[in-house]
Amino acid sequence: QKMVNLAVALRSSMCIIVKSAGLVPHTVETEPGTKVNFWLPKNSGGKPEKPAVLLIHGFAGDGVMTWAFQARSLSKRYSVYIPDLLFFGGSYTDKPDRSPEFQAECMVKAMSILGVDKFVLVGFSCGGVVASKIAELYGNMVKALMTMFTNRKEMAELLEALIINNDTTTLPSFPQRIDLLWGENDLFFSVEFAKDLQRKLGEMTSMESIKNGGHLVQLDRPFVYNKLLNKFLASVH
């Protein structure tokens, strides 16, 4: 019971932080039976006044639990959009499709309905896989991509070549700039793994490692993470 109360209190605190950044909750119906819950700029409608940034969470929680600290850091210069992936938070579908492609399709449909046709993508964990699918399938909408991955199950579809160490298999070719952020103390994958991923993604990919950062680096080292994120966004706008 105490753990449940703690989780509720933590989520309430995160919601307060996001609201203080000028974001409000909003639900987008992408098609009958499919709704995507967002936190997005207040009074948003049509094209955003500032450059748009789409933050996609992972298995560790929903959008607000993952990105609250980043929302506050980014909101002065950027229009921040934080969705819940389907089956997380307030997002759901009655469709049987569970693929990253379907998640990507729903995110893109929702952004289009909101009037956003260009954005920078930031993805974490399974959100990194979805972000990569968006960049691969809807590249004309994606200005740049910053992404982090966590475990083998989430990465299997996109990074199978790296997991089995098969240099003959290639990853998708991305025309966008990609920046990889990695916690030096990540227990899932080492910095050496990240460097190998950077090499295989090609010359458009850069990498930043964060000292004393672990798996949830955007939460346990938010100030350093936000500094690097803002630096990357400034370089692509």
Side-chain angles (χ1 to χ4, degrees), residues 20-191:
S20 72
L23 275 63
V24 294
H26 182 75
T27 300
V28 178
E29 185 175 28
T30 59
E31 60 182 294
T34 301
K35 293 186 177 182
V36 180
N37 185 66
F38 272 86
W39 285 87
L40 45 69
K42 191 182 299 182
N43 301 323
S44 61
K47 284 196 173 184
E49 296 179 357
K50 295 177 282 188
V53 179
L54 178 60
L55 305 175
I56 304 182
H57 69 86
F59 281 137
D62 60 12
V64 71
M65 290 292 288
T66 303
W67 299 116
F69 297 134
Q70 285 66 50
R72 186 166 61 180
S73 175
L74 298 176
S75 60
K76 289 184 179 180
R77 294 184 179 180
Y78 304 100
S79 293
V80 179
Y81 295 81
I82 306 176
D84 290 335
L85 291 172
L86 297 175
F87 314 112
F88 291 84
S91 299
Y92 68 89
T93 184
D94 59 8
K95 305 298 184 295
D97 197 336
R98 300 292 184 264
S99 67
E101 289 87 352
F102 183 63
Q103 292 272 12
E105 177 187 343
C106 291
M107 296 303 117
V108 167
K109 281 185 177 179
M111 292 295 279
S112 296
I113 291 170
L114 292 169
V116 185
D117 57 9
K118 289 282 185 181
F119 48 83
V120 173
L121 268 170
V122 182
F124 168 71
S125 185
C126 64
V129 175
V130 174
S132 297
K133 283 298 177 185
I134 293 174
E136 179 185 353
L137 301 174
Y138 306 94
N140 61 315
M141 301 180 72
V142 180
K143 297 184 68 173
L145 176 65
M146 176 175 280
T147 187
M148 301 177 292
F149 300 97
T150 57
N151 64 47
R152 295 174 190 267
K153 181 179 180 181
E154 295 159 8
M155 298 174 68
E157 181 178 344
L158 185 62
L159 302 179
E160 182 180 359
L162 299 177
I163 294 170
I164 64 176
N165 197 27
N166 182 355
D167 289 330
T168 64
T169 306
T170 58
L171 297 174
S173 177
F174 297 102
Q176 302 92 349
R177 280 189 55 193
I178 300 175
D179 192 35
L180 301 174
L181 281 184
W182 226 267
E184 287 190 352
N185 297 336
D186 193 322
L187 298 179
F188 287 96
F189 286 94
S190 67
V191 173

